[in-house]
Amino acid sequence: MNKIVESIRQAILDSGLKSGQTVSFHHHLRNGDHVLNMVMDEIAALGIGDLTLNASSLFNVHRPLKEHIRNGVVTRIITDYMAAELGSFISAGNMKAPVQFRTHGGRPADIENGTTPIDVAFVAAPASDCMGNCTGKIGKSACGSMGYAMPDAKNARFTVVITDELRPYPLTCRSIPETDVDEVVVVDSIGDPAGIVSGTTKITRDPIGLAMAQTAVDVIKASGLLKEGFSFQTGAGGASLAAAKYLKDVMLKEKIRGSFGLGGITGYMVDMLREGCFESLMDVQCFDLKAVESIRDDPRHSEISATHYASPGAKSAVVDSLDVVILGATEIDTDFNVNVHTDSDGRIMGGSGGHSDTAAGAKLAMIVAPLSRARLPIITDRVTCISTPGSTIDVLVTQKGVAVNPKDRVLALRLKDAGVKVMDIEELKAAAERISGVPMKPAIGERVVADVIYRDGTVIDRIREVVE
Amino acid sequence: MNKIVESIRQAILDSGLKSGQTVSFHHHLRNGDHVLNMVMDEIAALGIGDLTLNASSLFNVHRPLKEHIRNGVVTRIITDYMAAELGSFISAGNMKAPVQFRTHGGRPADIENGTTPIDVAFVAAPASDCMGNCTGKIGKSACGSMGYAMPDAKNARFTVVITDELRPYPLTCRSIPETDVDEVVVVDSIGDPAGIVSGTTKITRDPIGLAMAQTAVDVIKASGLLKEGFSFQTGAGGASLAAAKYLKDVMLKEKIRGSFGLGGITGYMVDMLREGCFESLMDVQCFDLKAVESIRDDPRHSEISATHYASPGAKSAVVDSLDVVILGATEIDTDFNVNVHTDSDGRIMGGSGGHSDTAAGAKLAMIVAPLSRARLPIITDRVTCISTPGSTIDVLVTQKGVAVNPKDRVLALRLKDAGVKVMDIEELKAAAERISGVPMKPAIGERVVADVIYRDGTVIDRIREVVE
């Protein structure tokens, strides 16, 4: 007895997928993913259409979706993140129904509570046995954690595992158990390893980025949170990684033993684990090869589901216990609202991911961003799109100074006492405008192309089409 | 932020538990468990009654339940196994509603599909952090796997973790994640280590047991299943352990590399893993200290949920891939139906546990039992209670010979070819009766004291009161 079927086509037929239903995908193979395109091409060839596509993130590699949208194969998209190529296509008004942007925590909550039911989940698995016990930790296309795929596999009516490495039953290092899997398809390649994880993610060399990273660490020190049991999340951007590096130096020098690092995990967080800065890593997604090796070999490096990472529907999630998160922004306004969905022209080129989830959970949610980017100021009166509400952001770090949300009076005093250059956000905005000028408002049309759905299920903003 | 409350009483109050609702418990602490009694005493003291008690198994240590049944605190019981002390009490007609006996696979299926919803689950956890990430692998009351508690924690409206060892957050070697846990209570002791696991489980020295074990291994060899990829489950009884020992010798001698050992795991199965007979162990419950140490330290020794072990509601379970299971019986009839619920007097002293689940799943389901026990023959015209239907049993091994279910003609030929002494089950019955005589039919009343619910949800037998 086994669950292997000979083709993706056969699995789609066996699933009973019909026009008007919902298919889901996860994004651990990132810009190297072959699976979403292979599956959608087969679905299109079978004449199934009017589908809702629920994907935890969409990358530029998924550009063939444009054709499937034009042809009516996909008529609704639910996702937490959309890279620029598909984003521009959506912003140009090429899809009738608005994209539903959710968050990495809100997505599993909505899947589990029945708001966004999934008919057929397609799980790209770097290794699987013949019954569907599968993992991302091993295999030629290893991606490490498969945290975002877990709620899909668990809750879909029909779950198909697609793998390029079949292992003997039972695969014990499973991310997803056979109990959730209906069929297994073995293909030649589920993805391009070069696109799945970076060889190494690199610290910025840009002096502005390094200055911001140093200030970010000064803020963390001054906040009073950097002590025994400290927990931390940072991104994979150059300045975020530099902050992790500086933070590690401080923790080692001051012999501070933290509890956990969280998030999408990079080799820099692995270094912090190995050198004793953390007791453990809680990992929903691996960004580089060092993280993949670590989650495979080190039991302190723990794979967590998207639910466990950030779901507001869970009885608790790790974000609820997080001390500090460093986040980016394409824009931040004087109320500390942050935009990570669009560029300043209003064109979709991102999404919340775990941005608003970690901001809501962390004791200190810090935005690190330069005053201007591509000659456009980052700080505005009002962001083009609210991705993360200002009420959940505590501090903005720029190369010229730090702005503290007025709600955090004690923090502002602490930072000043520690010699951090604290400025009013209006002053920082003025400084940015002295460099870059006041930008033109983007040419935005009336038509809504995307709804931004906050982690609690409410629509916190709508993204409108960009008029050329 | 943490979920710790100061007492079991407070957790019960916070849970909103009301009379008429359902509470659940798991049995990994076996006859050393303190938690069920502590919780039920508090519930009784709070004046809450008319409860359904859903426990994966009940042991003699749970004898205070008799008082709670008499007082109307507990008015319905759902369980997979009930040891003799409470069993006799039930058989004497002391509870109005019949006990619902389920199986280790049927129980999680019914919890998950909503047939037996749980209001409040109480999870006895040998170690937990302040958010409820908990495990049985470490702590002074370590029990190893917590597989039976997982569906309860996942599906209960409110889940309380009760621990005697609080560990720093986050506990990464979790059996149950914080996402499923509402509150955590720290108590002095969740159980008596001497009753939780045996120091070592011992092979029988009884020559009849050893002879049966040898024959069992002869049958396995002759069946054609003992080859590369072989999988196996056996119990913790003396003859079952002896069979594991003999089987190991054969596998090592013949250099047969099996795939997995399944079940409640003993040190004998751990030896088989370590010596290369298996690639992995799939463990829903640990029976001895060696198993606890192994599941803690050896990544090939994998903790599985009751769902993954045996649920017929899962998309597949490990029992579906099992080659051979060795099972016991208090009675077996000439249709190969097996009783493990009552003694020959009809008194409840056991339950299916995983008996009928593994029998249904395994390619070869073997009963090993002596012809008579306590001067009563094991083989009868009709078992006092059908626990496992004869259609799922392949072979009976006794000290005098082996009977093959008529449905398994090829197996019978193979055994005969291999020189195994195959006899008709009627002949074995006659041989047993020559030793022990034909027993009196037990004095059974009309009143139903328990329903035996098969893994598919159908009532396959009813147990009636025993008239003194």
Side-chain angles (χ1 to χ4, degrees), chain B residues 28-83:
Chain B
H28 296 91
L29 304 188
R30 303 170 57 78
N31 208 38
D33 177 42
H34 292 167
V35 166
L36 186 148
N37 293 337
M38 288 195 292
V39 170
M40 293 312 299
D41 286 352
E42 287 291 351
I43 286 174
L46 285 166
I48 301 168
D50 187 23
L51 292 177
T52 298
L53 172 73
N54 187 340
S56 51
S57 292
L58 293 166
F59 289 88
N60 285 337
V61 72
H62 300 126
R63 61 182 70 82
L65 276 178
K66 291 193 257 183
E67 234 11 67
H68 295 310
I69 292 168
R70 282 202 193 92
N71 294 337
V73 177
V74 173
T75 51
R76 287 165 303 279
I77 291 178
I78 303 171
T79 192
D80 308 339
Y81 177 96
M82 183 181 283

Side-chain angles (χ1 to χ4, degrees), chain A residues 3 131 133 156-157 169-170 172 174 178-182 259-260 280 302-304 308 315-316 318 321, chain B residues 3 131 133 156-157 169-170 172 174 178-182 260 280 282 302-304 308 315-316 318 321:
Chain A
K3 299 179 183 170
M131 299 298 279
N133 294 294
R157 176 178 59 71
Y169 182 90
T172 53
R174 62 187 172 275
E178 63 183 295
T179 52
D180 296 343
V181 178
D182 292 274
S259 57
F260 66 92
S280 62
S302 176
E303 182 177 24
I304 55 172
H308 197 172
K315 288 173 175 179
S316 67
V318 185
S321 295
Chain B
K3 298 178 183 170
M131 298 300 277
N133 293 294
R157 175 177 59 72
Y169 181 91
T172 52
R174 62 188 173 275
E178 62 182 295
T179 51
D180 296 344
V181 178
D182 292 276
F260 66 92
S280 62
M282 304 293 268
S302 175
E303 182 177 24
I304 55 172
H308 197 172
K315 288 175 175 178
S316 67
V318 185
S321 295

Side-chain angles (χ1 to χ4, degrees), chain A residues 22-24 54 107 111 116-122 151-153 155-158:
Chain A
T22 298
V23 293
S24 92
N54 186 339
R107 180 179 185 274
I111 290 170
T116 54
I118 296 168
D119 292 290
V120 187
F122 296 92
D152 299 44
N155 294 284
R157 176 178 59 71
F158 198 92

